[in-house]
Amino acid sequence: MNFQIDLCSKNMTSLFLLVVFVLIKSCNLKVDAAMSSYHEINERAEIDKVTKFVDPLIGTQNEGHVFPNPCLPYGVVKVGFDTDNLKDNQGGYTVDGHITGISHLHVSGTGGEPKYGVISQFPLTSTSLYTIPLRNYKSLRSFEHFEVGYSKFGLEKYNVTVELTAARRTGVGHYSGGWNEGPKYTVYFCSQFNKNASSIGTFWKNFITENLTFQSSSDVSFDTPAIGAVLGFDFDDEPYESNLVITSRVGISFISSDQACKSAQEEVPNFDFEKTRELAVDAWETELSKIKVDGEVRSDLKTIFYSGLYRTMIIPSDRTGENPKWSSYDNEGKLVPNYDDFYTLHEGYMPDGRSGMSNGITQGGGNADMVVAEVFLKNLTSNNEINNSLNWTLAYEALLKDAEYDPWERGIFERRMFLLHYKALGYIPFPTHKMLSYAYVPCSRTIEYSTNDWSIALVAKKLNKDEDYIKYQSRAKNWENLWYPKKTIKGAKGFILPRFANGSFDTSLNVFNLSGKTPFYEGSPWEYSLDILHGNNSFSHVKRLITLTGGPQAFERRLDKTFENKSYLTAYFNIGNEPDFFHPCLYHFIGKQWKSVEVIRDILKKKFGKGPDGIPGNDDSGAMGSWFVFHAMGIYPMAGQDIYLINAPHFSHVTIYLSPNTTFRILAKNHSSENIYVQNVKLNGVNWYKTWFRHQDIQNGGILEVEMGDRISTTWGVINGKNGESVIPPSMSDY
C-alpha cells in the first residue's frame, strides 16, 4: 500500500498519524519510522484504455457492499477508508458516516460483520501529542473521488487530503466475528515514511505515552479501547506554500515482518506514489483487456460492463507464498498458487467459502465440486500453470471425502453436514435439528448435495472410475425425493417441500416463505423448486423437472408467472441472490430461447446501471458483475458443466482472449436496441441450430456469428427445427 497526505491547513503546526489496530487477547506493538525522499503526484491524464470505463462506486449502495478503493487484480492489499456506519458491509466504504481509519485488508460485495478492516492509519492535525482527541478523532469527509487504482478524499475535521493507491501486498491484526468467525489470524506489517517523525508514542485505554515504542495489552476487543501508535510530523519550520506531502508505504505479509518490508521496498521503491499508481492501472488494463467489446446498444453499457468485470477480480486474494498453514512450495521448489477470500464456493475438506485463512459457514453444499468438474470437462489442464499445480489424484480423493464423511468435528464450518441421513434416506429430513436457520436448511442442502454428486459423477466418468460414476449419478437424483406432486399454487403443480424422517411431507409450508428458520437457504420454495440444473444418465434433470411440473406448456406457464413481476425482486424470482441466477435461461429447455432473451434484456435494462445503486443487491465477490458480463456478451455457462447457452449479445463485437494468441469472437449482425431476437447462428463458419455449444467448440478459438432481428424466429432455436435437430441442451448420454 502507498498513501499520500496533503497538508492543507495554514493553522496546523503538526500532523499526527494514528496507527490503530483492533486486536484480540494479548498484543505487543512495536513502532519504528524510516526516512527517504518523497515524490509529489501530478494529476494523471485521461488515457484511452478500457480502465477509463470502470466506475468503482457502482454497487456501493443498495446493499451491494462493493469495495471501491485501490487494489490490484486479486491483490492482497485492498486499502481504503472505513466508516462508523458499516453494519454488515465488509468493503469498508459507506456513502455516509464518519471515517474512522484507513485500513489495508478488505473484501468486496459480501455481507456479514466486517472480516478485516485491520492495519489502520488515520492522519489528523493537532498542536501537540497530548491534544489528540483519542476518544473521538473520526471525521466526516469533505469530498471523495475514485478511479481504478486510485482514490482521494478529504477529512473535514482536520482539513487534510488523503490519496491512496496500491501495490500487490501490504500487515497485523487479531479479531473475531461475522460469517467467518474462525480462529485468530496474524498479519505482519512494515510501515515506513518518507520523513522522520518528530515525536512518537503509543496509546491504550485513551491514554498516550510519549517516546514509548513498545505497548503491551492483556485484553483488546471491539468493546474495549483500541491499542496503537502515534507518529507526529512537525512542519513549524516549513512554509505552507511548499505543498507539504507525507508518503507512507505499508508492506503486509502473513509470514513475517521481514517479508512485509521486502515486499514494500520491492513494490514501492523510493516511495514513488505516481509510479505505483501507474502500475496499478496497467495491471488492471492487462486483465480487463482480455475481453474487448464494442458497438453497444446503449451509451452506458461499456461502463456497466467493465465495472462488472472489474468487480469479479477484486477478490479472491492471491496469497501465493503467503500461507503460514502449509508449505508454499512443491517438491521441485516451485511456488504453489494459493488464494484466500473466496465466498460460496475448507481446510481438510474441499472449500465452500473461506476468508482470513479459515472456513466460513457452509451455506449449502460443496461447490468446489462444480469448479473441479468444469476444469475436467473443459480440459483446462492443457494450461501449463494449472496442470503443474494440480494433483488430480489428490483432488479426486478430496471430492470423495467431501461426499462420504460428515464433518462433525468442525460443524457448520465444514463441507456437507447430515450426510448420514442424506445417504440413508436420499434426503435430509426435517425438522428435528435445532441449529440456526443458515446451517440447518435440509431442502436446499439436499438439492445442492445432489448437484455436487452429479459433478463428482462427471469427474469419475472422465477418470474411468465406472463404479463411482454409477454411484454418484444415482445420488444426483436425490432432489426428487423432496418433490411433492400434489401441492398446487398459482397454477403451478408440484414443489420441493420439507420431508420428515418417516417419509411424510410438511405440506403446510408457504411456498413464498422467506423469513424465520425455513428449510431453504435465502430463498423461497417457489424459487428452489426451479433450481434443478444438472443431469443424469438418460436425460437432463431440467427435463425431468419439466415432466414433474406437467410438461412443457405447464412449465412455460410456471416460468411466465415467475417473471411476471417486473421488479425481479420477489419470492417468485430474486435477481439479487444467486439461487435464481440461472432461472431466466430455463426457457431454453422448452425451445423458447427468445423468452429467455426477453427476460434477460429487461433485467439488464431495469436492474443494472451506472450509479452507486447500479446493481440489484449484494455483489457477492463479483457474482452480480459476472452475471451481467456473460449476459451482455450473449452467452451464459451452465455451472459444473462444459456447456454455454446462447442468448442475445448486447454488443456488435466481443473478443475474448482465451490466451495471448487464441481468441473467441462473438459478432452480432443487424445489431440494435430493437433487434433483440436471434434469427440465425454460425459457429466457426458452420450453420448452428442449437441454442448452446460446448467449451471444446471454442477452446482453440472460434467465431460465433449471431444474426439479429426484431421478430421471433420460427426456424432457429425451436424444438426439432431445421434438419430435425434438437436444440435443447444435451442429455447425459451425450457426454
Side-chain angles (χ1 to χ4, degrees):
M1 185 282 267
N2 187 349
F3 81 81
Q4 187 164 298
I5 306 162
D6 295 334
L7 310 180
C8 307
S9 174
K10 293 185 179 181
N11 299 322
M12 176 199 65
T13 55
S14 297
L15 174 123
F16 289 87
L17 188 70
L18 294 180
V19 186
V20 183
F21 303 99
V22 180
L23 308 172
I24 293 176
K25 300 188 184 296
S26 62
C27 167
N28 295 326
L29 179 65
K30 189 171 183 180
V31 181
D32 196 8
M35 179 177 180
S36 182
S37 61
Y38 68 82
H39 179 81
E40 286 192 19
I41 183 172
N42 296 316
E43 288 299 322
R44 184 177 178 84
E46 181 78 7
I47 301 175
D48 188 19
K49 295 182 177 179
V50 297
T51 46
K52 77 175 185 179
F53 294 109
V54 175
D55 181 356
L57 282 175
I58 292 178
T60 53
Q61 294 185 30
N62 195 28
E63 298 186 358
H65 300 162
V66 167
F67 172 79
N69 279 285
C71 64
L72 265 64
Y74 313 112
V76 172
V77 169
K78 295 164 181 62
V79 57
F81 65 77
D82 303 306
T83 76
D84 58 3
N85 194 27
L86 284 182
K87 296 180 181 178
D88 63 348
N89 183 5
Q90 297 197 48
Y93 174 90
T94 58
V95 68
D96 52 17
H98 294 79
I99 293 177
T100 58
I102 302 160
S103 60
H104 300 70
L105 295 176
H106 295 90
V107 292
S108 181
T110 64
E113 296 176 13
K115 175 64 182 178
Y116 293 123
V118 294
I119 316 305
S120 179
Q121 297 184 339
F122 191 95
L124 54 83
T125 57
S126 181
T127 56
S128 73
L129 198 75
Y130 297 104
T131 59
I132 294 174
L134 281 181
R135 294 181 184 274
N136 186 24
Y137 60 81
K138 60 189 179 181
S139 171
L140 294 173
R141 73 206 79 168
S142 54
F143 71 91
E144 61 181 32
H145 175 76
F146 299 88
E147 298 177 18
V148 172
Y150 175 76
S151 66
K152 182 177 181 178
F153 56 92
L155 296 174
E156 182 181 279
K157 187 173 182 178
Y158 306 104
N159 198 19
V160 169
T161 297
V162 179
E163 297 180 87
L164 303 175
T165 189
R168 186 162 298 279
R169 297 181 181 92
T170 101
V172 82
H174 303 275
Y175 91 105
S176 72
W179 162 84
N180 178 7
E181 294 182 359
K184 68 180 183 180
Y185 62 90
T186 301
V187 188
Y188 300 89
F189 74 100
C190 180
S191 179
Q192 300 171 329
F193 302 89
N194 69 321
K195 177 181 174 65
N196 278 339
S198 56
S199 59
I200 61 175
T202 64
F203 64 88
W204 185 41
K205 292 187 176 180
N206 298 316
F207 181 77
I208 294 175
T209 303
E210 192 173 9
N211 298 323
L212 191 66
T213 61
F214 183 89
Q215 177 71 59
S216 179
S217 67
S218 58
D219 183 26
V220 179
S221 69
F222 288 113
D223 299 323
T224 60
I227 184 174
V230 181
L231 306 179
F233 299 88
D234 196 342
F235 293 106
D236 274 341
D237 299 329
E238 301 188 44
Y240 171 75
E241 290 76 12
S242 62
N243 191 25
L244 304 173
V245 174
I246 288 180
T247 302
S248 167
R249 67 183 182 195
V250 180
I252 283 185
S253 172
F254 293 84
I255 302 296
S256 68
S257 56
D258 288 342
Q259 187 157 316
C261 289
K262 181 180 179 181
S263 294
Q265 292 159 7
E266 289 179 350
E267 294 180 347
V268 191
N270 301 318
F271 294 83
D272 195 333
F273 183 93
E274 177 62 10
K275 183 63 176 179
T276 306
R277 179 181 174 184
E278 290 177 0
L279 291 175
V281 175
D282 290 346
W284 280 109
E285 185 68 30
T286 297
E287 294 301 320
L288 296 174
S289 293
K290 291 179 180 178
I291 301 180
K292 293 288 185 69
V293 295
D294 214 345
E296 59 269 33
V297 294
R298 67 190 214 218
S299 60
D300 60 353
L301 205 61
K302 275 190 178 180
T303 294
I304 304 171
F305 181 90
Y306 281 111
S307 298
L309 186 60
Y310 169 85
R311 297 196 305 274
T312 68
M313 291 182 266
I314 297 177
I315 58 175
S317 303
D318 184 354
R319 293 189 183 166
T320 301
E322 288 287 350
N323 195 321
K325 294 196 172 185
W326 57 72
S327 173
S328 297
Y329 297 88
D330 62 17
N331 294 333
E332 298 178 358
K334 297 179 181 178
L335 271 175
V336 177
N338 173 61
Y339 287 79
D340 202 351
D341 302 331
F342 49 86
Y343 285 70
T344 52
L345 238 193
H346 305 251
E347 196 173 320
Y349 292 83
M350 292 286 280
D352 183 66
R354 189 171 176 86
S355 183
M357 293 174 290
S358 61
N359 297 341
I361 293 170
T362 300
Q363 299 183 1
N367 296 312
D369 301 345
M370 315 290 286
V371 177
V372 171
E374 283 198 41
V375 171
F376 268 73
L377 293 172
K378 294 180 179 179
N379 196 29
L380 298 182
T381 54
S382 60
N383 180 301
N384 289 331
E385 180 181 352
I386 295 176
N387 192 41
N388 291 335
S389 63
L390 283 179
N391 182 325
W392 293 112
T393 300
L394 186 61
Y396 187 67
E397 291 175 356
L399 292 178
L400 295 186
K401 178 182 178 182
D402 293 341
E404 298 299 333
Y405 295 96
D406 206 324
W408 284 107
E409 70 276 11
R410 279 277 287 147
I412 59 177
F413 293 94
E414 295 287 5
R415 187 59 153 72
R416 298 200 215 177
M417 298 183 67
F418 318 111
L419 271 175
L420 179 66
H421 302 294
Y422 175 78
K423 291 192 292 185
L425 299 175
Y427 61 93
I428 301 174
F430 184 77
T432 57
H433 210 275
K434 296 181 180 179
M435 298 188 73
L436 296 176
S437 59
Y438 55 66
Y440 187 64
V441 280
C443 290
S444 52
R445 278 186 180 270
T446 297
I447 293 172
E448 290 201 35
Y449 289 10
S450 299
T451 308
N452 300 152
D453 284 335
W454 170 237
S455 296
I456 296 174
L458 293 179
V459 175
K461 186 175 180 67
K462 193 172 182 67
L463 292 176
N464 296 317
K465 297 182 181 294
D466 295 339
E467 290 185 5
D468 286 348
Y469 168 70
I470 293 171
K471 175 181 180 178
Y472 290 109
Q473 70 88 19
S474 178
R475 276 174 45 169
K477 296 182 287 185
N478 279 347
W479 66 271
E480 196 173 336
N481 293 326
L482 293 182
W483 187 265
Y484 185 73
K486 297 180 181 180
K487 194 174 186 72
T488 301
I489 301 291
K490 302 292 185 180
K493 183 179 180 180
F495 288 90
I496 296 287
L497 292 181
R499 191 174 185 181
F500 299 102
N502 63 9
S504 63
F505 286 85
D506 181 358
T507 61
S508 65
L509 183 66
N510 182 348
V511 299
F512 305 113
N513 188 8
L514 289 169
S515 61
K517 295 184 178 181
T518 76
F520 297 87
Y521 187 83
E522 294 186 357
S524 69
W526 182 286
E527 295 170 87
Y528 271 101
S529 295
L530 290 173
D531 212 36
I532 314 299
L533 310 178
H534 54 291
N536 70 13
N537 190 43
S538 59
F539 42 67
S540 162
H541 273 200
V542 179
K543 296 178 183 177
R544 177 59 176 159
L545 178 65
I546 293 170
T547 299
L548 291 176
T549 58
Q553 292 182 347
F555 191 69
E556 182 178 2
R557 290 193 297 269
R558 188 174 190 138
L559 291 180
D560 292 345
K561 174 62 70 173
T562 297
F563 304 113
E564 184 178 64
N565 188 313
K566 301 306 180 184
S567 73
Y568 303 113
L569 295 171
T570 71
Y572 290 95
F573 173 76
N574 181 6
I575 187 54
N577 209 10
E578 286 86 346
D580 296 4
F581 272 15
F582 191 75
H583 295 179
C585 292
L586 287 172
Y587 286 108
H588 281 66
F589 293 85
I590 55 173
K592 296 289 182 73
Q593 181 266 4
W594 59 271
K595 280 198 168 184
S596 290
V597 167
E598 288 182 338
V599 172
I600 291 166
R601 288 258 167 167
D602 200 42
I603 293 173
L604 264 60
K605 180 180 179 180
K606 292 179 177 178
K607 309 309 294 186
F608 290 84
K610 289 178 64 174
D613 59 349
I615 59 176
N618 195 307
D619 194 46
D620 273 339
S621 311
M624 286 289 172
S626 65
W627 195 90
F628 183 93
V629 164
F630 272 114
H631 281 308
M633 292 191 299
I635 59 176
Y636 197 75
M638 293 187 69
Q641 303 180 53
D642 63 340
I643 295 168
Y644 303 88
L645 302 182
I646 301 172
N647 290 311
H650 281 58
F651 300 95
S652 60
H653 296 81
V654 176
T655 302
I656 303 172
Y657 290 87
L658 303 176
S659 73
N661 301 313
T662 307
T663 62
F664 170 52
R665 300 172 64 199
I666 302 172
L667 306 179
K669 299 180 180 180
N670 303 324
H671 182 254
S672 71
S673 58
E674 293 80 21
N675 293 347
I676 71 170
Y677 300 108
V678 178
Q679 306 298 304
N680 291 292
V681 172
K682 286 186 177 181
L683 182 59
N684 300 328
V686 177
N687 288 329
W688 194 263
Y689 302 109
K690 305 171 186 176
T691 62
W692 57 275
F693 60 90
R694 294 188 184 280
H695 185 77
Q696 67 185 30
D697 296 319
I698 63 167
Q699 65 181 0
N700 296 319
I703 300 177
L704 181 70
E705 299 173 80
V706 183
E707 182 182 342
M708 306 297 296
D710 61 357
R711 298 182 181 180
I712 301 166
S713 174
T714 59
T715 57
W716 185 88
V718 297
I719 295 177
N720 297 324
K722 288 187 176 181
N723 301 326
E725 187 175 12
S726 176
V727 301
I728 301 299
S731 66
M732 181 51 208
S733 60
D734 295 322
Y735 280 89

